[in-house]
């Protein structure tokens, strides 16, 4: 099955700095790569995603890049703010039919943005 | 916070007891999932269901059981065979209109007495 490795497990940055979280995946057939943000005590929420036919996607201060050859993808957050502090999870999946999308998650990165 | 509701928020299990976690959604989603979250372990898939009366094992199904008798409901039973049940359990759903985006419930924290 798919295996997703995520690094680092913790990341501390100063407000205004950039943060980068990296993930690698094992199944070359995976074609969908979302990132979820989980604030303390809350449910995970999708913040950005990318498909295998795209190399980069941006949404305001966040961006995701994908290198299919190397089987890795990264989350980039620029101009970090204290409200960016949360656990971030990467995930990978390949479409398996119907409305079922079976995601394999990384172990998460605890991002702390210091004011 | 509507859409997918989990209950209870906190649950305690005694030795040898089965407990059931509730998950209900009003999003008209076909697929539903149960994930287990342990500190530093990410989200691990327990069971998933694409359609009513059908479900498949995920990566860590041992000691758990599910049913999908209604589209809206996907309860998870933690049986006495699950020797390490203490964890945060998250239910999620996806539908054709929302593609791969998982909508999560607010979770149930299960602890052993």
């Amino acid at each position: 099955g798919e295996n997703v490795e995520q690094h680092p497990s913790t990341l501390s940055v100063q407000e205004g700095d950039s943060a980068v979280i990296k993930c690698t995946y094992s199944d070359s057939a995976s074609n969908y790569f979302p990132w979820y943000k989980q604030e303390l005590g809350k449910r995970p929420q999708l913040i950005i995603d990318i498909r295998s036919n795209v190399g980069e996607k941006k949404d305001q201060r966040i961006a995701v890049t994908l290198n299919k050859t190397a089987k890795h993808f990264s989350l980039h957050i620029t101009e970090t703010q204290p409200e960016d502090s949360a656990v971030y999870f990467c995930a990978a999946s390949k479409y398996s039919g119907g409305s079922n999308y079976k995601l394999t998650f990384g172990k998460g990165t605890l991002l702390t943005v210091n004011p | 916070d509507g859409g997918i509701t989990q209950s209870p928020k906190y649950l305690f299990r005694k030795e040898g007891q089965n407990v059931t976690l509730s998950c209900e959604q009003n999003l008209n989603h076909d697929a539903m999932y149960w994930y287990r979250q342990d500190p530093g372990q990410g989200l691990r898939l327990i069971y998933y269901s694409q359609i009513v009366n059908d479900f498949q094992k995920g990566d860590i199904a041992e000691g758990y059981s599910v049913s999908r008798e209604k589209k809206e409901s996907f309860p998870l039973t933690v049986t006495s065979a699950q020797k390490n049940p203490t964890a945060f359990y998250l239910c999620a759903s996806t539908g054709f209109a929302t593609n791969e985006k998982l909508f999560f419930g607010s979770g149930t924290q299960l602890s052993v007495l």
Side-chain angles (χ1 to χ4, degrees), chain A residues 94-98 100-102, chain B residues 48 50:
Chain A
K94 54 186 176 186
Y95 182 54
S96 54
N100 178 49
Y101 302 91
K102 186 172 172 245
Chain B
Y48 63 103
Q50 284 185 268

Side-chain angles (χ1 to χ4, degrees), chain A residues 32-79:
Chain A
Y32 175 68
F33 308 93
W35 288 87
Y36 282 80
K37 174 184 180 183
Q38 186 177 27
E39 296 176 23
L40 186 63
K42 296 192 176 180
R43 70 191 77 188
Q45 292 194 310
L46 178 71
I47 55 170
I48 195 167
D49 56 12
I50 192 168
R51 300 182 190 280
S52 57
N53 59 348
V54 176
E56 182 176 2
K57 184 176 179 180
K58 293 181 77 171
D59 183 4
Q60 298 182 347
R61 294 187 297 108
I62 60 173
V64 58
T65 58
L66 172 66
N67 183 326
K68 285 170 54 181
T69 303
K71 290 190 285 187
H72 69 71
F73 56 112
S74 301
L75 177 71
H76 304 254
I77 305 174
T78 59
E79 300 172 19

Side-chain angles (χ1 to χ4, degrees), chain B residues 4-11 19-25 32-34 65-67 70 72-78 89-92 104-110:
Chain B
I4 182 162
T5 303
Q6 288 186 243
S7 62
K9 188 168 182 154
Y10 300 98
L11 187 58
V19 293
T20 297
L21 285 60
S22 170
C23 178
E24 303 276 333
Q25 54 98 0
M32 297 186 73
Y33 311 78
W34 275 104
S65 66
V66 292
S67 62
K70 299 187 300 181
E72 301 80 13
S73 178
F74 191 41
L76 173 74
T77 297
V78 184
Y89 291 85
L90 283 161
C91 180
F104 284 93
S106 55
T108 293
Q109 175 64 49
L110 176 63

Side-chain angles (χ1 to χ4, degrees), chain B residues 30-96:
Chain B
D30 291 302
M32 297 186 73
Y33 311 78
W34 275 104
Y35 287 91
R36 170 176 171 147
Q37 185 173 21
D38 295 280
Q41 293 297 315
L43 301 170
R44 293 182 289 170
L45 184 63
I46 305 172
Y47 268 97
Y48 63 103
S49 168
Q50 284 185 268
I51 196 169
V52 174
N53 293 323
D54 184 57
F55 47 83
Q56 289 81 39
K57 293 181 179 180
D59 302 317
I60 55 166
E62 186 174 349
Y64 300 97
S65 66
V66 292
S67 62
R68 188 86 186 276
E69 296 177 1
K70 299 187 300 181
K71 186 176 184 177
E72 301 80 13
S73 178
F74 191 41
L76 173 74
T77 297
V78 184
T79 75
S80 57
Q82 173 49 246
K83 298 306 179 188
N84 184 24
T86 297
F88 189 59
Y89 291 85
L90 283 161
C91 180
S93 66
T94 56
F96 279 114

Side-chain angles (χ1 to χ4, degrees), chain A residues 17-36:
Chain A
D17 287 351
S18 295
V20 181
I21 303 169
K22 299 181 180 180
C23 289
T24 60
Y25 61 99
S26 60
D27 189 346
S28 56
S30 288
N31 54 17
Y32 175 68
F33 308 93
W35 288 87
Y36 282 80

